Amino acid sequence: MILNAGEDGVLQSELWKTITADSREGSRAILRLERRRLIERRRELFDGRWTYRVLAKRRTPKIDSIIAVPCAFCHLEGRCSESGVVSPIKCDRLTAWLSSLAQTDPP
Ligand code: SF4
């Protein structure tokens, strides 16, 4: 649920309702996730009360970002290796794609 909430995250109170946990059980679970650095919590005033918004540190990759990688659908991928005749080190398509990434603004 936290991963699916994406960059907006989810309020703790919404989490408790959805997983039918009380705040004590939920808080323990959230603290475990936080200690493992899987989530972050941001303090937020909601309906006049302080609560936390929970966000996943890891984001689910979007399909567009995968489709754009030249290796994803390359017919040479099976024969491509660092020491091979076809190599990512010498690949023009990979170099062009990486160069285009370097020239775009970060999201
Ligand atoms: S590095 Fe180049 S040749 Fe190798 S799999 Fe990627 S696109 Fe294909």
Side-chain angles (χ1 to χ4, degrees), residues 70-72 74-78 80-81 86-89 91-94:
C71 307
C74 177
H75 68 285
L76 299 172
E77 189 271 336
C80 184
S81 69
V86 183
S87 161
I89 296 166
C91 178
D92 292 339
R93 288 195 310 151
L94 186 60

Side-chain angles (χ1 to χ4, degrees), residues 6-37:
E7 294 176 14
D8 294 335
V10 61
L11 289 174
Q12 280 192 170
S13 54
E14 291 174 30
L15 268 176
W16 306 164
K17 279 185 214 159
T18 305
I19 64 173
T20 60
D22 62 38
S23 61
R24 191 171 156 197
E25 286 174 314
S27 293
R28 263 194 253 142
I30 286 295
L31 288 173
R32 272 199 303 272
L33 293 173
E34 195 174 33
R35 273 196 300 271
R36 293 169 66 187
R37 299 175 189 206

Side-chain angles (χ1 to χ4, degrees), residues 25-87:
E25 286 174 314
S27 293
R28 263 194 253 142
I30 286 295
L31 288 173
R32 272 199 303 272
L33 293 173
E34 195 174 33
R35 273 196 300 271
R36 293 169 66 187
R37 299 175 189 206
L38 296 171
I39 59 154
E40 71 174 276
R41 294 190 304 156
R42 293 186 190 152
R43 201 158 182 244
E44 183 175 313
L45 193 60
F46 183 78
D47 278 348
R49 298 182 66 169
W50 286 105
T51 183
Y52 285 96
R53 183 168 293 278
V54 183
L55 301 104
K57 285 198 164 183
R58 185 175 49 121
R59 302 279 192 257
T60 305
K62 294 185 177 138
I63 192 70
D64 292 351
S65 66
I66 297 168
I67 287 173
V69 179
C71 307
F73 300 101
C74 177
H75 68 285
L76 299 172
E77 189 271 336
R79 293 186 285 152
C80 184
S81 69
E82 267 185 61
S83 57
V85 175
V86 183
S87 161

